[in-house]
Amino acid sequence: LLPVLACILITGPGGSRGGTFPNTCAEAMVIIAEPSLGFAARTVHSGHNGMGNSAQEAAPATDESLESGGFGGINSSGVAARQIQALQWNAHGECFVRCKDSMDVHCDKAYPTCRDGARQFLADTLRDSSSLDFVGLEQFNDESFFSAAHVDLGRWSNVTHTCGGALGYGVYPFDLATLIFDRQRWAPVGAARGGCFERVEGAAEPNYRAFLVQAFVRKGTEERMVVAVSHHPHTLQYKAEIAALKSAAAVVRAEAAAEKMLLIADTNAESPNVPIGRSSQSVMEDIYPGAGEVKSTDLLITCCAWQYVHTYDRIVAAHFPHSSAIATALPFLDVHPPFAARYMHDPVLATLTYPGRLHQNSDLKPAASGSHARAGTIALIVVLVLALSLILVVGCSWRA
């Protein structure tokens, strides 16, 4: 019995290898992840240092959670809370353009204040956040961002679709849709598909308002998802123009055999509380007719510098479990980016929490529930008593 007793003491009943008694063995408990920002969404003043971790929030994801797919707590049935965190931001092209003269309005009057501020904010966000999975950007026309901002390319990768550019990089008509993703958590599935919604300046082909669609698999699992970044049209031809994104999304979902979809977009859609407004359900169904019930960030006023009246920026999730929830945050809270140039939007942060089942090959093991832990403790006590009794009996017989 002594070897058995030693083994139990090392592993603990229902706990993982390396657990200690009594905390791990006798007091095993399930920790269910709750929605958390992962990095603080707080007021950022001029000369800010981005969004740093807050002691008031849940602990950031560990290296183990990154490798295993960022799981939260695990119960005895092997069901874990999963999270996806995404940022939506249309920085707008004016931020990156020097004014030609005093009459020019589509530019940064204090260039390069906006460009440098936007670059610093995004770089700090990518560096400081341990929970962020995806960043969707529209018109972030900083050609040298990844090199100038010293982005950790071991963690972050990106895909971009460009519209226009015939007159030069960043010169209207010009538009970008960029998706930055955590390559340590997510692996692309197949190729990205992108396109342009509108024809402007007499172009024969669409050359403005960009979108892209990319499928991913969460590393260490079989979970697949399609992510779309889009600078939606808001013209009278909306219904005809949005069909391009609808078609691309259908192809990517089919090729990746994925049903889940995450839309990160400047939707150019007003709140449904006004006559011409659109709900997030409607916005998603325009590109994913079989979306079912969707989950969306709150419709907050984020557009645009310097008259904020529109609820354009949204992150919408489709085909996630019914019990899923999205927490919404504004990184700049009740103020706006202090470096903003004309038409810049406020960024929006979403934390999607939903139940998910672990892959069979996952290294994570279910923790014991309270009842199983109590049963294990009782069994351990019984074994201890029997072992002690056996030692006493053997000792007394040897002495006799």
Side-chain angles (χ1 to χ4, degrees):
L1 289 175
L2 291 179
V4 175
L5 176 61
C7 179
I8 294 175
L9 288 174
I10 292 173
T11 61
S16 61
R17 184 172 182 84
T20 57
F21 180 83
N23 290 340
T24 301
C25 301
E27 299 176 3
M29 62 183 295
V30 178
I31 303 174
I32 301 299
E34 297 182 355
S36 64
L37 295 182
F39 52 86
R42 57 178 176 80
T43 302
V44 181
H45 303 285
S46 181
H48 64 88
N49 61 355
M51 295 178 281
N53 288 319
S54 167
Q56 296 180 346
E57 298 169 1
T62 63
D63 290 341
E64 180 181 16
S65 68
L66 289 177
E67 294 172 359
S68 61
F71 296 105
I74 308 160
N75 64 24
S76 57
S77 301
V79 177
R82 291 181 177 175
Q83 286 189 342
I84 295 173
Q85 193 172 81
L87 184 77
Q88 153 61 23
W89 193 24
N90 185 346
H92 241 270
E94 285 79 359
C95 180
F96 307 93
V97 176
R98 186 190 303 272
C99 295
K100 299 175 183 177
D101 51 52
S102 60
M103 301 299 293
D104 194 353
V105 296
H106 293 286
C107 57
D108 177 16
K109 297 290 187 180
Y111 184 88
T113 299
C114 185
R115 184 204 66 184
D116 292 348
R119 176 185 289 175
Q120 189 65 53
F121 169 77
L122 184 57
D124 290 343
T125 298
L126 295 176
R127 184 191 65 238
D128 296 339
S129 170
S130 60
S131 304
L132 192 62
D133 294 278
F134 301 101
V135 177
L137 302 170
E138 300 83 39
Q139 293 195 344
F140 195 91
N141 303 343
D142 187 351
E143 196 171 15
S144 59
F145 170 74
F146 277 88
S147 59
H150 306 292
V151 174
D152 179 5
L153 300 182
R155 179 183 176 191
W156 298 107
S157 187
N158 74 97
V159 58
T160 296
H161 186 79
T162 303
C163 293
L167 301 179
Y169 186 93
V171 180
Y172 181 86
F174 183 85
D175 201 65
L176 297 177
T178 300
L179 175 61
I180 302 174
F181 61 93
D182 185 339
R183 64 194 307 171
Q184 294 178 356
R185 287 193 183 113
W186 300 92
V189 177
R193 289 179 176 266
C196 311
F197 289 115
E198 296 180 9
R199 281 189 283 267
V200 298
E201 301 291 302
E205 298 294 332
N207 62 341
Y208 193 58
R209 300 199 184 277
F211 68 84
L212 67 85
V213 188
Q214 175 70 65
F216 293 91
V217 60
R218 189 192 287 267
K219 290 187 174 181
T221 76
E222 295 178 348
E223 181 183 11
R224 295 189 172 214
M225 178 179 65
V226 170
V227 181
V229 176
S230 178
H231 188 188
H232 271 34
H234 56 63
T235 66
L236 295 176
Q237 291 78 36
Y238 169 83
K239 280 294 186 182
E241 291 172 346
I242 200 68
L245 175 55
K246 176 181 177 182
S247 176
V251 171
V252 173
R253 285 197 310 272
E255 291 179 346
E259 290 187 329
K260 293 177 180 175
M261 185 167 180
L262 191 69
L263 173 65
I264 307 173
D266 169 5
T267 66
N268 281 312
E270 303 292 348
S271 166
N273 295 327
V274 301
I276 60 173
R278 301 179 68 82
S279 67
S280 293
Q281 182 75 44
S282 174
V283 168
M284 177 61 85
E285 289 177 349
D286 286 341
I287 63 170
Y288 191 0
E293 180 186 9
V294 306
K295 305 295 180 180
S296 171
T297 49
D298 298 332
L299 304 191
L300 304 178
I301 294 176
T302 56
C303 177
C304 316
W306 294 283
Q307 294 179 338
Y308 295 88
V309 294
H310 305 295
T311 58
Y312 289 167
D313 299 280
R314 310 183 192 184
I315 298 171
V316 189
H319 260 287
F320 284 81
H322 177 73
S323 57
S324 303
I326 287 185
T328 309
L330 294 176
F332 289 91
L333 295 180
D334 57 348
V335 298
H336 308 291
F339 49 79
R342 191 175 187 180
Y343 300 130
M344 175 177 279
H345 295 215
D346 287 354
V348 175
L349 179 71
T351 303
L352 170 65
T353 304
Y354 58 102
R357 186 167 296 277
L358 293 177
H359 187 270
Q360 291 181 346
N361 295 329
S362 173
D363 292 334
L364 293 176
K365 304 297 182 184
S369 64
S371 60
H372 287 111
R374 287 191 293 272
T377 302
I378 294 172
L380 178 59
I381 293 173
V382 171
V383 171
L384 285 170
V385 172
L386 290 176
L388 182 59
S389 299
L390 180 60
I391 292 172
L392 291 175
V393 170
V394 173
C396 291
S397 298
W398 180 77
R399 290 176 182 175

